Amino acid sequence: MTTLTHLQRLEAESIDIMREAVAESENPVMLYSVGKDSSVMLHLAAKAFYPSKPPFPLLHVDTTWKFREMYAFRDEMAQKLGLDLIIHTNPEAVAMDINPFSHGSAVHTDMWKTQGLKQALDKYGFDAAFGGARRDEEKSRAKERVFSIRSAQHRWDPKKQRPELWRLYNARKNKGESIRVFPLSNWTELDIWQYIYQENIPIVPLYFAAERPVVARDGALIMVDDERMPLAPGEQPIHKSVRFRTLGCYPLTGAVESTANTLHAIIQEMLLATTSERQGRVIDNDSSGSMEKKKQEGYF
Amino acid sequence: MTQIPDQAAQTATAQDIDQYLKIHEHKDLLRFITCGSVDDGKSTLIGRLLYESKMLFEDQLATLEADSKKIGTQGGALDFALLVDGLAAEREQGITIDVAYRFFATEKRKFIVADTPGHEQYTRNMVTGASTAAVAIILIDARKGVLIQTRRHSYLVALLGIRKIVLAINKLDMVDYDQSVFEQIEEEYRAFAHQIGLDDITCIPLSALQGDNVIAPSPINTPWYHGPTLLGYLETVTVDDDAASRPFRMPVQWVNRPNLDFRGYSGRIVGGAVRPGDRLRILPAGKESTVARIVTQDGDLDLAVAGQSVTLTLNDEIDISRGDVLATIDAPPLVADQFEAHIIWMSEEPMLPGRPYLLKLGATTVAATLAAPKYQVNINTLEQLAAKTLELNEIGVCNLTVNRAIPFDPYAENRDMGGFILIDRISNTTVGAGLLNFALRRSQNIHWQAIEINKQAHAALKGQKPCVVWFTGLSGSGKSTIANLVEKQLHALGRHTYLLDGDNVRHGLNKDLGFTEADRVENIRRIAEVAKLMVDAGLIVLTSFISPFRAERRMARDILETGEFCEVFVDTPLAVAEQRDPKGLYKKARRGELKNFTGIDSPYEAPEAPEIHIDTTQLTSEAAAEQIVARLQSMGVLD
């Protein structure tokens, strides 16, 4: 076994990155979004520090618009692993009742996620935050470093990125600056699914196909997850066998019609897939290059 | 021929998927870099590899089609380059300005591609991409042949230790797939590459745009070519992953202490293999112990190899901390504090010999000072040139000294034990990278003499606590006047003192130095070292120098013990100092007769947290001196 498989290599690299970030920061935190990538990241964190518990809390920047099954899963996982879970909801967004229906996806995402995240990082003084982003997700992410420095205003400056050579990560920062750390940078969507399969990692049931009530909006199938979803006069949710390839706020996350209700079937479906996973994300389609803009403003 | 994943899955049953997953679980990983000049078609080639290996989805293709029509350079046809030029700025300018990592997989392997730009000013990015690659694809435009850029890219990949090269002779369609063009370029390249130690070279005739020999052979256009296709080569090339056959090395990243009964050392193995019972040496201390367990969450291991991240426990209680290296006792790494290294400079600010930078190697961070380069390498001609410093994207060979001995291997033997980055201590940015060549003999031979009459003895005889009172401020701020008054008062108090003054030192010790930034750094470095020796002799040392840069003042502070350094900021606004102009220097500088004059055409970096801050617009020199002596007493510098 002198040649490691690609998953063993990816696992070892992610563990290396997490240990390095913990050793070089004072107050690290792991962003927990409840999705499959977060599940993998959490699984790797448990391995990285075993037999110790991961020496950092989890932070969920909540938008109050996630799927109900995500909330249930989140609380169950934090309890099972015995980790501290910090839940932050932007009080301004609460007061203004920000929602994707009256404010649009751009304002919704900015207020709940981008501003909410900045508030939480400032409030607890975290100087390093793990995120589950992968370079294969989107073009501007393909260029982001594993250790990505953010200004005191949480801004990302793609022109001021530090060269990252070998396995040497420069985690030094000036007062007020912080570091976003991406242990899954080199994983692809397929790697994630193979690893979930190989390691039997629990994921939110929404990834598996089931009969769910959906309505068609702008070409996407949106699940009617609670009574806040406004319906047009006479509009009736239809029950369809659907699943989600990526999870976010339910009004902004398109379902795909599918009967894949096992990991096997999901992987098979993914191998046959003809659209990329972020297509279900309404926020990416605002304009070409929009992820880069959001990242500069502090989005993960 | 290549099977691509979705074709395999097309007809898959549940059993086939099991089979598929098994195969894919056992795939290995190849990292490679693509190097080429602006128009060699590099992005097109990568775009095509992604496209042909079905790594593109319909929505990405739809975006590509739209973008190709809008901003493409292929007259509306698919412009694969747009797939990989990720940042908005790059798309606008039509160039690639940073390293991007791309992923694709076939039945046989998973690949990570470092896509790096070819312009000279981005050597930094190429070196970054090459640092993790095992294979390099060097693109050549068949119409242009071997160019200066080709040589540069080859030198850089060779320097970074890549030995497997694909020479992709691209745009062959533009020369009518002429075999003689291909052969001529191959011959010329092999001759050149041999000189820089590259011999494992595979030349492939390509048209990235048309797809010839990228995935499938092209018997119609290149019937004379019988070698592998590009993807065929990448899938089958054996990468000498001999990291596992090298001596065992594991830098300790993190000490794992969940409770009093468990003490583990976590890290990634960067060489060799380890088993329970193996005898290890812990460096730099040199103690030895035996491996008790290899702990993972999935159970203890009987064997762990290079590349794995593990946690080891040892049979003896030894004080081990982050940055120590665990190594086999049979072939432990050397420990040294002076080295020769190749340095690749990556910052807009030139390298300053004498300035301390932070050096990170493995899990260790130490302070490092570089000597002036022995020579700089012209990466286009490979000539060795004389140089006093290194600018952005320049490469040179320098001696360097670190502030404590560290375990290392030469880079040629182990990339992870010999490759390092340099970090600026003020901005915290990565300013350079380096490859350790060897330890200097003198570093192994010179040992500090254990002198019995030490600092404490010197100080006790004088009945005082030695220290440095460091005055900094603009020319004409009143530093020397105030320092003089302070020394008089201390002398009157029966203290043994010495005043080091800018003008006096420059007449003797530092008369070889001018006023360039590099010389100013060296000036202050010498002053700091002299002050340190005087502190060792038990003296209270007053220094009066402009000392404009924070980094050097911090260096002076760092080489002394805590509490021995007291920074006095003599704060005089530039306008006031210029009006006083006791030596007429500002006038000269304004007339352009004095270059690099602090405050005029050279910056002054004011202290952020000086121990003592004197505002000379509010205090007379006498009052300032009294205040300083009083502060020194209350701070306990004067006992």
Side-chain angles (χ1 to χ4, degrees):
Chain A
M1 66 154 286
T2 47
T3 305
L4 302 179
T5 67
H6 76 291
L7 286 179
Q8 282 174 318
R9 265 188 206 283
L10 291 171
E11 180 188 80
E13 178 183 71
S14 301
I15 289 174
D16 180 55
I17 290 164
M18 287 185 187
R19 288 170 173 172
E20 198 62 17
V22 163
E24 294 233 352
S25 64
E26 278 157 26
N27 191 15
V29 66
M30 179 169 281
L31 272 287
Y32 183 62
S33 75
V34 204
K36 63 184 190 310
D37 302 298
S38 274
S39 287
V40 167
M41 194 162 61
L42 201 51
H43 184 81
L44 290 164
K47 288 194 176 197
F49 301 100
Y50 177 86
S52 296
K53 262 195 246 174
F56 42 74
L58 303 180
L59 170 63
H60 182 222
V61 179
D62 188 17
T63 64
T64 72
W65 286 93
K66 301 292 174 191
F67 292 86
R68 282 174 298 168
E69 280 183 88
M70 290 173 72
Y71 292 114
F73 183 85
R74 174 194 72 188
D75 296 340
E76 191 190 317
M77 285 306 290
Q79 202 191 8
K80 209 162 105 186
L81 295 168
L83 291 175
D84 283 342
L85 170 67
I86 298 169
I87 297 164
H88 180 82
T89 45
N90 179 356
E92 288 168 43
V94 174
M96 293 163 72
D97 189 25
I98 299 289
N99 67 77
F101 305 111
S102 8
H103 300 93
S105 70
V107 171
H108 173 83
T109 303
D110 179 64
M111 285 299 285
W112 286 112
K113 293 174 84 172
T114 309
Q115 304 307 326
L117 173 63
K118 290 194 216 173
Q119 287 167 354
L121 295 178
D122 288 341
K123 180 174 171 190
Y124 298 97
F126 294 122
D127 63 344
F130 293 106
R134 308 187 319 266
R135 285 175 174 154
D136 79 326
E137 281 176 89
E138 204 273 339
K139 275 193 283 193
S140 76
R141 279 192 166 152
K143 306 211 164 184
E144 186 155 14
R145 305 295 185 253
V146 175
F147 279 57
S148 184
I149 194 97
R150 299 300 161 103
S151 71
Q153 293 74 43
H154 304 285
R155 288 185 68 90
W156 180 58
D157 185 347
K159 295 208 175 82
K160 282 203 181 147
Q161 297 204 85
R162 298 168 174 181
E164 214 159 57
L165 294 97
W166 300 291
R167 300 163 182 167
L168 290 174
Y169 305 105
N170 176 359
R172 299 187 74 86
K173 56 204 169 290
N174 287 313
K175 205 168 157 39
E177 291 176 344
S178 61
I179 299 227
R180 306 275 171 95
V181 182
F182 301 103
L184 304 181
S185 287
N186 287 327
W187 294 61
T188 62
E189 188 186 10
L190 181 57
D191 297 330
I192 293 285
W193 282 114
Q194 283 181 340
Y195 192 69
I196 287 170
Y197 174 75
Q198 178 186 300
E199 300 276 312
N200 205 12
I201 298 170
I203 50 171
V204 185
L206 291 161
Y207 287 111
F208 298 101
E211 289 275 318
R212 297 188 172 97
V214 291
V215 291
R217 290 287 157 86
D218 300 328
L221 288 175
I222 302 295
M223 178 171 163
V224 183
D225 195 45
D226 59 36
E227 67 296 339
R228 291 179 296 176
M229 175 91 191
L231 298 174
E235 188 179 30
Q236 280 294 323
I238 331 157
H239 280 261
K240 279 192 169 170
S241 180
V242 294
R243 66 179 204 88
F244 295 87
R245 289 179 64 188
T246 163
L247 292 176
C249 293
Y250 81 79
L252 297 176
T253 308
V256 289
E257 289 196 58
S258 166
T259 54
N261 56 4
T262 62
L263 274 177
H264 260 116
I266 289 174
I267 292 172
Q268 182 171 4
E269 194 177 275
M270 208 203 56
L271 291 169
L272 294 167
T274 53
T275 57
S276 71
E277 61 181 327
R278 292 201 75 87
Q279 199 208 18
R281 294 273 182 107
V282 178
I283 57 165
D284 282 356
N285 300 338
D286 294 349
S287 70
S288 196
S290 66
M291 176 66 91
E292 190 181 339
K293 273 184 222 145
K294 275 194 283 289
K295 285 167 71 69
Q296 288 182 19
E297 285 153 17
Y299 184 73
F300 229 94
Chain B
M1 240 316 284
T2 320
Q3 281 272 314
I4 41 184
D6 64 341
Q7 285 178 346
Q10 210 90 44
T11 55
T13 64
Q15 244 175 358
D16 291 338
I17 285 288
D18 256 342
Q19 188 63 29
Y20 172 86
L21 287 170
K22 277 228 170 57
I23 292 167
H24 283 256
E25 259 174 42
H26 292 99
K27 269 194 301 205
D28 65 355
L29 176 66
L30 180 74
R31 296 187 73 138
F32 66 92
I33 179 176
T34 53
C35 329
S37 302
V38 188
D39 297 319
D40 289 344
K42 184 161 47 72
S43 293
T44 306
L45 180 66
I46 297 175
R48 183 167 282 280
L49 279 172
L50 299 180
Y51 176 76
E52 299 270 359
S53 60
K54 303 287 189 283
M55 293 306 285
L56 296 179
F57 296 111
E58 274 175 6
D59 55 324
Q60 290 171 320
L61 270 176
T63 310
L64 175 63
E65 278 169 20
D67 284 355
S68 295
K69 289 205 181 87
K70 210 162 55 184
I71 46 174
T73 57
Q74 299 302 324
L78 285 189
D79 183 354
F80 292 114
L82 294 175
L83 279 174
V84 287
D85 289 346
L87 299 177
E90 294 173 324
R91 261 170 288 153
E92 283 154 19
Q93 298 167 28
I95 54 162
T96 312
I97 57 169
D98 205 337
V99 193
Y101 296 93
R102 300 285 154 193
F103 307 86
F104 68 98
T106 65
E107 290 269 286
K108 297 191 176 118
R109 268 191 172 146
K110 168 177 168 137
F111 299 94
I112 301 181
V113 192
D115 179 18
T116 61
H119 324 316
E120 180 165 27
Q121 61 268 43
Y122 299 119
T123 296
R124 173 173 74 183
N125 297 325
M126 241 207 74
V127 167
T128 302
S131 74
T132 50
V135 170
I137 299 179
I138 295 182
L139 269 109
I140 283 194
D141 183 331
R143 295 168 301 176
K144 296 179 185 160
V146 178
L147 299 177
I148 282 179
Q149 293 91 304
T150 317
R151 295 167 192 268
R152 178 165 74 227
H153 299 152
S154 303
Y155 169 73
L156 291 175
V157 301
L159 179 68
L160 271 286
I162 297 175
R163 291 290 166 261
K164 305 260 177 184
I165 307 291
V166 177
L167 189 73
I169 302 177
N170 193 25
K171 303 198 179 179
L172 220 64
D173 52 323
M174 309 291 275
V175 294
D176 298 328
Y177 299 99
D178 185 341
Q179 183 179 4
S180 65
V181 171
F182 174 79
E183 283 173 350
Q184 205 178 330
I185 292 173
E186 170 167 13
E187 192 181 339
E188 184 184 352
Y189 184 77
R190 282 188 189 278
F192 158 74
H194 180 71
Q195 294 167 30
I196 55 171
L198 295 175
D199 289 305
D200 191 339
I201 296 159
T202 304
C203 300
I204 305 178
L206 286 184
S207 166
L209 201 62
Q210 308 301 333
D212 298 286
N213 295 318
V214 178
I215 313 286
S218 182
I220 298 187
N221 291 328
T222 56
W224 41 268
Y225 177 71
H226 305 290
T229 64
L230 180 62
L231 190 64
Y233 173 87
L234 294 172
E235 280 188 320
T236 51
V237 59
T238 52
V239 180
D240 288 336
D241 199 8
D242 49 1
S245 60
R246 296 198 168 119
F248 174 72
R249 305 279 187 262
M250 188 185 95
V252 175
Q253 263 187 307
W254 193 69
V255 179
N256 194 335
R257 291 224 72 183
N259 56 58
L260 292 176
D261 301 327
F262 187 94
R263 179 188 275 271
Y265 305 101
S266 300
R268 192 161 186 199
I269 301 172
V270 299
V274 68
R275 291 184 166 77
D278 281 359
R279 193 82 187 146
L280 298 185
R281 184 169 296 169
I282 296 99
L283 298 151
K287 296 198 175 115
E288 292 184 5
S289 185
T290 313
V291 178
R293 297 169 54 198
I294 305 171
V295 181
T296 77
Q297 194 184 24
D298 305 315
D300 283 10
L301 303 180
D302 296 328
L303 170 72
V305 298
Q308 279 182 293
S309 289
V310 293
T311 297
L312 303 183
T313 64
L314 304 180
N315 283 326
D316 304 274
E317 287 233 355
I318 299 180
D319 184 24
I320 299 176
S321 45
R322 173 172 162 82
D324 289 348
V325 172
L326 308 183
T328 173
I329 57 161
D330 299 327
L334 290 172
V335 175
D337 62 359
Q338 293 186 48
F339 307 92
E340 186 201 89
H342 273 84
I343 304 288
I344 300 130
W345 200 250
M346 299 181 159
S347 168
E348 309 277 344
E349 300 283 321
M351 173 185 119
L352 285 178
R355 169 172 289 188
Y357 296 98
L358 293 173
L359 178 153
K360 185 171 183 183
L361 182 149
T364 306
T365 304
V366 290
T369 312
L370 299 155
K374 290 178 165 175
Y375 60 86
Q376 184 199 325
V377 179
N378 177 329
I379 57 172
N380 295 321
T381 61
L382 309 187
E383 279 175 299
Q384 297 182 359
L385 310 169
K388 287 199 165 148
T389 179
L390 294 175
E391 308 268 347
L392 176 65
N393 290 317
E394 289 182 347
I395 296 178
V397 170
C398 302
N399 285 349
L400 66 93
T401 305
V402 294
N403 67 342
R404 62 186 165 81
I406 51 171
F408 82 101
D409 289 307
Y411 183 80
E413 286 170 27
N414 190 320
R415 284 193 196 189
D416 293 300
M417 290 288 294
F420 61 87
I421 55 171
L422 292 166
I423 301 168
D424 182 86
R425 296 163 58 118
I426 305 290
S427 68
N428 286 320
T429 53
T430 303
V431 291
L435 322 170
L436 292 178
N437 296 335
F438 51 80
L440 299 182
R441 194 171 288 260
R442 63 172 184 257
S443 117
Q444 285 147 2
N445 293 339
I446 296 183
H447 298 284
W448 276 99
Q449 294 292 325
I451 302 167
E452 288 179 12
I453 307 300
N454 57 14
K455 177 157 65 181
Q456 283 69 33
H458 292 135
L461 195 63
K462 296 184 179 65
Q464 66 183 27
K465 202 173 142 213
C467 67
V468 173
V469 183
W470 188 284
F471 292 80
T472 172
L474 293 170
S475 175
S477 62
K479 293 182 302 295
S480 294
T481 311
I482 297 170
N484 232 317
L485 290 168
V486 171
E487 189 179 30
K488 278 189 195 163
Q489 291 197 24
L490 294 176
H491 190 76
L493 289 166
R495 306 296 174 178
H496 298 260
T497 58
Y498 193 84
L499 174 60
L500 284 164
D501 184 80
D503 292 343
N504 301 343
V505 172
R506 279 189 176 274
H507 284 133
L509 176 65
N510 289 353
K511 71 176 172 191
D512 57 326
L513 300 177
F515 289 89
T516 64
E517 194 161 286
D519 279 359
R520 282 166 174 264
V521 169
E522 174 61 13
N523 182 41
I524 298 303
R525 188 191 70 79
R526 291 187 198 171
I527 308 290
E529 291 291 351
V530 168
K532 187 187 173 188
L533 290 175
M534 289 186 167
V535 165
D536 207 49
L539 294 174
I540 295 168
V541 188
L542 300 100
T543 67
S544 172
F545 299 88
I546 299 173
S547 44
F549 305 128
R550 267 180 218 129
E552 278 63 55
R553 296 196 302 265
R554 187 189 289 195
M555 179 263 293
R557 181 186 294 273
D558 288 352
I559 63 173
L560 293 160
E561 285 174 36
T562 312
E564 282 181 351
F565 185 88
C566 176
E567 188 172 25
V568 180
F569 178 27
V570 183
D571 189 359
T572 304
L574 178 63
V576 177
E578 188 166 356
Q579 202 198 345
R580 289 182 194 157
D581 203 5
K583 300 173 197 162
L585 296 174
Y586 284 97
K587 281 193 197 71
K588 275 194 183 173
R590 288 290 183 200
R591 286 197 303 266
E593 293 164 20
L594 261 186
K595 287 282 169 217
N596 300 315
F597 194 75
T598 301
I600 307 297
D601 56 349
S602 181
Y604 179 77
E605 299 169 3
E608 282 167 341
E611 274 80 4
I612 302 176
H613 189 153
I614 299 293
D615 181 350
T616 64
T617 61
Q618 302 294 321
L619 287 177
T620 62
S621 299
E622 288 74 16
E626 266 168 43
Q627 195 175 328
I628 291 166
V629 173
R631 282 282 288 148
L632 291 174
Q633 275 162 340
S634 68
M635 283 164 56
V637 174
L638 289 179
D639 43 17

